[in-house]
């Protein structure tokens, strides 16, 4: 199955994949993206979302609450999932998402977001795809869940092919 996995590299503009299906999404295929969240990301998300919880904005408050440092908003981390899907399938419509927050994510940690197609159904010349979703830090699961998206085609877009 490793040969069928779809991969994204760290740079969003250099998305690629390697698949036995020549770039067509099949059940079992996985899309990935790495991301390091910065203090600026957290500040901007806080402004847009109006989530000014001190755990995200104040290191001392976060440490007093038992964390190592400022937390990245869980929903900001989970935004990797629709980003991964839409970057490979422009025009995708995100239908649902369930999330379980397992571990805190701190500013500066490298996070690997992953979506794996688990079920694909054709619906009116489009495809309803169920994905298993997960974000990992240092190999441990920080967030997991499931997502559903409607994609216009099973042909994944790419900027460069990886082997």
């Amino acid at each position: 199955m490793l040969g069928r996995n779809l991969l994204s590299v760290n740079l969003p503009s250099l998305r690629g994949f390697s698949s036995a299906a020549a770039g067509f999404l099949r059940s079992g295929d996985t899309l990935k993206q790495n991301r390091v969240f910065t203090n600026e990301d957290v500040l901007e998300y806080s402004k847009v979302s109006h989530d000014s919880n001190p755990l995200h904005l104040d290191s001392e408050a976060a440490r007093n609450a038992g964390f190592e440092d400022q937390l990245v908003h869980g929903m900001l981390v989970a935004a990797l999932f629709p980003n991964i899907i839409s970057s490979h399938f422009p025009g995708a419509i995100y239908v649902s998402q369930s999330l379980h927050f397992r571990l805190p994510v701190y500013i500066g940690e490298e996070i690997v977001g992953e979506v794996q197609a688990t079920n694909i159904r054709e619906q009116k010349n489009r495809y309803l795809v169920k994905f298993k979703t997960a974000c990992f830090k240092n190999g441990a699961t920080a967030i997991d869940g499931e997502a559903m998206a409607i994609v216009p085609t099973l042909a994944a877009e790419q900027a460069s092919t990886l082997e």
Side-chain angles (χ1 to χ4, degrees):
M1 178 128 38
L2 187 59
R4 291 189 35 224
N5 283 350
L6 301 176
L7 302 174
S8 289
V9 295
N10 293 341
L11 302 173
S13 62
L14 297 175
R15 295 181 309 273
F17 61 92
S18 173
S19 175
F24 285 89
L25 183 68
R26 296 188 307 178
S27 189
D29 284 344
T30 299
L31 300 157
K32 295 181 181 183
Q33 181 180 27
N34 295 8
R35 171 92 190 257
V36 175
F37 293 94
T38 66
N39 193 54
E40 183 178 339
D41 293 329
V42 170
L43 291 173
E44 291 299 316
Y45 184 83
S46 181
K47 288 177 191 175
V48 170
S49 67
H50 300 282
D51 182 348
S52 57
N53 185 330
L55 297 177
H56 304 298
L57 306 173
D58 182 348
S59 293
E60 186 177 339
R63 283 192 286 274
N64 288 340
F67 296 101
E68 294 174 20
D69 207 341
Q70 288 173 243
L71 302 172
V72 178
H73 298 78
M75 295 304 289
L76 176 56
V77 178
L80 281 170
F81 304 135
N83 182 20
I84 293 166
I85 294 166
S86 67
S87 67
H88 289 280
F89 302 97
I93 301 167
Y94 216 64
V95 176
S96 67
Q97 175 75 62
S98 67
L99 298 169
H100 303 279
F101 299 96
R102 308 286 184 191
L103 294 172
V105 172
Y106 300 105
I107 293 169
E109 290 185 309
E110 183 172 21
I111 302 301
V112 178
E114 180 176 292
V115 299
Q116 181 182 41
T118 59
N119 189 306
I120 301 171
R121 287 193 336 236
E122 188 170 3
Q123 259 188 356
K124 299 179 184 177
N125 297 323
R126 297 190 285 181
Y127 301 88
L128 180 63
V129 183
K130 183 177 183 179
F131 293 96
K132 178 180 163 187
T133 59
C135 284
F136 302 97
K137 67 176 204 172
N138 302 319
T141 303
I143 300 174
D144 62 4
E146 291 183 339
M148 296 278 284
I150 298 170
V151 298
T153 178
L154 295 179
E157 289 198 4
Q158 63 175 353
S160 62
T161 302
L162 302 177
E163 294 299 327

